[in-house]
Amino acid sequence: TEVNLSVDHKTRQDSTLPVYQETPGSFHPLRIVEDRLLDIFFSLGFDLAEGPEIEDDKHNFASLNFAEDHPARDMQDTFFVADYVLRTHTSSVQIREMEKGKLPLRLVMPGRVYRNEAVSARSNCFFHQIEGLYIDKGVSFADLKRTLYYFVQQFFGEGTKVRFRSSYFPFTEPSAEMDIWAGLDTEENRRLTKGTGWLEVLGCGMVHPNVLESCNIDTSEYTGFAFGMGIDRITMLKYGINDIRDLFVNDKRLLSQFSGI
């Protein structure tokens, strides 16, 4: 009887068959950017902290100095689950860490957050944040600016055009926002930046004394700063993605471009 020597009779595999070329997998661009951001802040001595996505009013609003009648508490701005909320920011993790009373603190907190917003090219009803918190004796606003400018230089590169402007948040005082120059050279950039050329990527400020006191931290001894940035918008800036919705449609034509990164 003639025997086919190309067949492995132990495994029943025919070695003459063509090799199946598997398509290589890739990291999602949001994961690539989040990992890079964490590496930058880890290099500055920050540690990682995480918390639940379903929160109570105390950790999501009250301890962060939100007034009882603040608009963010309304149903048109926040998703409610019975007596709880889908967290609107990862600032709730800051409160949980401060309540532990282990000072000093230098933490970064990544995670998904939810807001009842209209979906458009620049905003979504859920997105990803990474927040930072540094509490110690003698922490100043200058420390905050140095930290954030270092982040911009490390992530976007030297010479990146940045705008640092005053703002308002209930949980920080003074408060500021940081914008990155996206440009006005294309119709997509003009739409994304509402015709200004600038795209806001983070909010920040010195932790409000009311927030520290709500966590039993002595404000005569300790100060701190906090910041929060949208990973989605930073990803859009980094890779030239002009519509935030493209990040969530699982289009292999987009995702396959990151297989070699």
Side-chain angles (χ1 to χ4, degrees):
T1 304
E2 187 174 295
V3 178
N4 183 359
L5 298 179
S6 64
V7 176
D8 185 338
H9 291 280
K10 293 182 179 179
T11 61
R12 309 300 300 175
Q13 293 180 346
D14 188 346
S15 60
T16 64
L17 292 174
V19 177
Y20 176 69
Q21 299 291 335
E22 294 187 356
T23 303
S26 61
F27 286 104
H28 194 281
L30 288 174
R31 173 59 64 188
I32 296 171
V33 169
E34 180 180 312
D35 288 346
R36 175 59 182 144
L37 294 175
L38 290 176
D39 285 343
I40 292 171
F41 290 111
F42 288 163
S43 72
L44 293 172
F46 286 79
D47 293 320
L48 180 70
E50 296 178 305
E53 293 186 12
I54 298 178
E55 271 292 4
D56 54 34
D57 181 90
K58 174 187 176 183
H59 292 93
N60 199 76
F61 292 124
S63 294
L64 287 161
N65 202 38
F66 282 86
E68 288 291 337
D69 57 352
H70 194 281
R73 293 174 180 263
D74 295 338
M75 292 189 67
Q76 63 263 30
D77 290 300
T78 302
F79 292 109
F80 287 83
V81 182
D83 294 330
Y84 296 87
V85 300
L86 296 181
R87 65 182 181 188
T88 57
H89 41 211
T90 51
S91 303
S92 56
V93 185
Q94 296 185 29
I95 298 299
R96 291 184 176 276
E97 292 298 323
M98 284 190 282
E99 286 177 339
K100 295 177 181 179
K102 299 178 181 179
L103 300 176
L105 288 174
R106 189 180 294 189
L107 302 169
V108 280
M109 294 142 282
R112 179 176 287 191
V113 299
Y114 306 84
R115 294 181 190 174
N116 193 4
E117 296 183 357
V119 177
S120 68
R122 55 180 285 127
S123 62
N124 207 339
C125 56
F126 67 92
F127 53 98
H128 301 80
Q129 277 189 337
I130 182 168
E131 297 201 14
L133 175 69
Y134 179 31
I135 297 178
D136 203 346
K137 298 176 181 179
V139 177
S140 68
F141 197 84
D143 297 324
L144 170 62
K145 288 191 70 175
R146 282 195 294 267
T147 299
L148 294 180
Y149 274 89
Y150 175 81
F151 143 69
V152 170
Q153 292 169 359
Q154 292 296 306
F155 187 82
F156 290 105
E158 295 285 345
T160 301
K161 197 173 180 181
V162 180
R163 184 171 68 176
F164 204 79
R165 54 187 172 81
S166 61
S167 187
Y168 167 77
F169 302 105
F171 34 82
T172 52
E173 179 59 38
S175 303
E177 288 182 301
M178 177 175 276
D179 304 331
I180 300 293
W181 178 253
L184 293 169
D185 52 327
T186 67
E187 180 60 34
E188 289 81 4
N189 280 347
R190 288 191 290 271
R191 184 183 72 241
L192 186 64
T193 63
K194 296 184 177 180
T196 67
W198 293 99
L199 186 65
E200 182 262 317
V201 292
L202 65 85
C204 60
M206 299 299 293
V207 180
H208 199 292
N210 291 347
V211 174
L212 296 176
E213 290 171 0
S214 73
C215 299
N216 297 315
I217 295 176
D218 186 354
T219 55
S220 66
E221 188 173 5
Y222 288 96
T223 56
F225 67 68
F227 58 84
M229 63 185 73
I231 298 175
D232 311 62
R233 284 191 177 178
I234 292 175
T235 301
M236 294 168 69
L237 277 171
K238 181 69 173 179
Y239 296 118
I241 299 172
N242 296 311
D243 194 319
I244 195 172
R245 293 167 291 194
D246 291 340
L247 295 170
F248 305 106
V249 295
N250 292 325
D251 190 331
K252 293 180 70 173
R253 293 172 299 178
L254 171 68
L255 300 179
S256 63
Q257 298 179 50
F258 297 90
S259 59
I261 295 180

